Amino acid sequence: MKKLIIILLTLSIIGCKKQEKIKTIIKETDNYVISINYPITNNNKLNKQIKKYVNNEYKKFIKEKHEEKVELNIDFKINENEIIIYSNNNSKTFKYKTEKTKSITTYKYINKIKELDITKKSIALTFDDGPSTYTKEIIDLLNQYDANATFFILGNKVEIYKDTLKYMLESGNEIGNHSYNHKWLTHINEEEIKNQINKTQEIIKTNLDYEPKIFRPTYGAINKKMRETINLDIILWNIDTMDWKYKSKKKIINNIIPQIEDEKIILMHDTKKITYETLKQLLPKLKEQGYQFVTISELKEIKTIREKT
Ligand code: ZN
């Protein structure tokens, strides 16, 4: 069977500053350096063409055996009716109609390329209620195991932990909205719900140039009013680690292990020391069993591709 490898591009959103050049070296080995920037517009067709081109250039580059240090540079320039993508000695122009893309307000830039094997068992670790003083250590630990996770954060903590959150994104993790100050959203009215969500979106956007696309309800409580009011994808979980309740990591691990399966979403809290301690044992254990650790959006993408093939 043909092994299917997908290249998932981790995107971070940066405000619309056409003139600003953002160069991120995303991969460096003894033999090569890769630096990729490309625009994502709100025109799906155009996005597909651009992505295809960038992916092809990337694959071509990786395929070649490089004896000496070489660089792949992909960058772009946006003119009025066209986007030009530069890739080392090549360049390709994508024409589009201005009126169709007039509403572009943000561009997303790749800051990391991950190669995820869709044939591999995948787990989405998620952390609620942070960030906290433990979050940075948790990110370090994830990095150590080549793992990424999703953090559903509280709006009122964004300014205090701005640096941690930047590090979180740079490491390839995803951020989700978990309300402003952990109110029971099923107990408040529509306007207050909107306020809890929007205030959090805004403070994240202002501080991190990033816009969450997913939301996790506090206490996992959800009703019709919330579904109608909240404009983000609502994400629950399959496995509750009970790290908020159990005091022993052995107990937490024994609770998780029998429930682990491909495509499961795991609930944890990055506000607890015990969670960090548990992860230290859990990550190598699951990695040994052949799991890869992906974000919620990546899991979604993997599931979509699996359904199609
Ligand atoms: Zn919570």
Side-chain angles (χ1 to χ4, degrees):
M1 200 180 81
K2 217 170 106 188
K3 199 179 174 200
L4 262 165
I5 305 262
I6 53 160
I7 298 163
L8 282 184
L9 311 165
T10 304
L11 307 169
S12 71
I13 301 167
I14 288 156
C16 175
K17 288 171 194 153
K18 280 188 191 175
Q19 260 47 297
E20 198 172 312
K21 281 239 169 186
I22 296 136
K23 280 266 181 219
T24 319
I25 291 173
I26 49 165
K27 201 167 183 178
E28 185 162 9
T29 72
D30 288 344
N31 291 329
Y32 59 87
V33 180
I34 301 175
S35 167
I36 295 184
N37 282 320
Y38 74 81
I40 299 281
T41 71
N42 62 351
N43 179 334
N44 276 339
K45 232 176 161 181
L46 187 62
N47 287 343
K48 266 189 198 153
Q49 289 172 12
I50 294 173
K51 263 195 180 180
K52 204 174 152 194
Y53 179 73
V54 172
N55 280 342
N56 280 342
E57 291 297 298
Y58 174 76
K59 277 186 205 153
K60 252 196 301 184
F61 179 80
I62 294 295
K63 241 187 198 168
E64 291 163 21
K65 295 252 180 291
H66 302 295
E67 300 302 327
E68 57 194 78
K69 195 156 179 164
V70 281
E71 279 187 45
L72 169 70
N73 276 305
I74 298 180
D75 209 339
F76 67 91
K77 197 167 132 193
I78 298 172
N79 297 329
E80 203 182 339
N81 291 310
E82 59 181 25
I83 293 175
I84 306 168
I85 311 273
Y86 301 94
S87 162
N88 287 18
N89 301 322
N90 303 318
S91 75
K92 186 167 165 118
T93 307
F94 297 89
K95 299 261 183 208
Y96 61 89
K97 286 183 184 158
T98 313
E99 64 268 20
K100 274 197 178 166
T101 48
K102 243 183 194 160
S103 59
I104 299 177
T105 50
T106 54
Y107 293 110
K108 299 172 191 171
Y109 295 81
I110 297 172
N111 58 10
K112 194 177 175 183
I113 282 197
K114 289 189 241 177
E115 289 176 26
L116 297 177
D117 187 340
I118 65 156
T119 60
K120 236 178 167 182
K121 294 183 286 184
S122 304
I123 283 286
L125 297 169
T126 64
F127 297 91
D128 286 11
D129 300 353
S132 79
T133 46
Y134 306 116
T135 307
K136 177 157 184 303
E137 272 182 311
I138 288 178
I139 301 167
D140 285 338
L141 196 60
L142 291 170
N143 285 343
Q144 212 179 304
Y145 289 97
D146 225 0
N148 279 137
T150 305
F151 293 79
F152 291 96
I153 65 169
L154 296 174
N156 65 357
K157 293 186 175 176
V158 170
E159 279 172 350
I160 312 163
Y161 291 102
K162 192 173 163 176
D163 290 343
T164 304
L165 290 168
K166 276 195 173 152
Y167 178 50
M168 188 184 280
L169 289 174
E170 281 161 14
S171 302
N173 300 292
E174 182 170 14
I175 289 179
N177 187 323
H178 192 45
S179 85
Y180 190 75
N181 54 1
H182 217 273
K183 281 253 164 72
W184 273 96
L185 300 191
T186 48
H187 297 187
I188 56 178
N189 68 33
E190 220 178 281
E191 200 167 314
E192 285 173 292
I193 294 174
K194 269 190 195 153
N195 192 32
Q196 284 281 328
I197 307 295
N198 295 344
K199 230 166 121 184
T200 305
Q201 288 295 103
E202 273 160 32
I203 200 160
I204 293 173
K205 181 91 199 272
T206 311
N207 283 277
L208 303 165
D209 287 326
Y210 179 91
E211 236 171 329
K213 302 206 161 24
I214 50 178
F215 170 77
R216 171 163 287 161
T218 50
Y219 311 99
I222 177 109
N223 60 16
K224 197 168 160 246
K225 189 169 57 188
M226 284 167 68
R227 285 195 196 277
E228 285 165 2
T229 314
I230 299 169
N231 229 347
L232 302 166
D233 265 357
I234 296 172
I235 307 293
L236 293 168
W237 58 84
N238 310 113
I239 301 172
D240 183 352
T241 58
M242 308 289 262
D243 60 346
W244 49 275
K245 186 180 164 190
Y246 294 148
K247 299 270 179 286
S248 110
K249 61 181 172 208
K250 203 175 158 201
K251 215 166 173 182
I252 299 174
I253 288 174
N254 288 344
N255 169 42
I256 304 170
I257 293 291
Q259 301 183 67
I260 291 281
E261 255 178 56
D262 190 18
E263 296 187 6
K264 291 277 187 239
I265 299 173
I266 303 180
L267 167 68
M268 302 183 114
H269 296 82
D270 55 321
T271 48
K272 308 244 178 266
K273 181 135 184 84
I274 188 111
T275 304
Y276 170 76
E277 299 296 339
T278 304
L279 268 180
K280 241 175 161 174
Q281 290 191 2
L282 191 68
L283 285 172
K285 213 173 210 156
L286 294 181
K287 198 150 187 180
E288 221 181 80
Q289 291 179 14
Y291 283 97
Q292 63 184 350
F293 305 93
V294 300
T295 67
I296 291 290
S297 291
E298 287 163 356
L299 184 63
K300 222 158 120 194
E301 199 159 340
I302 288 172
K303 280 161 100 170
T304 311
I305 295 171
R306 280 177 178 174
E307 277 159 24
K308 279 189 205 148
T309 49

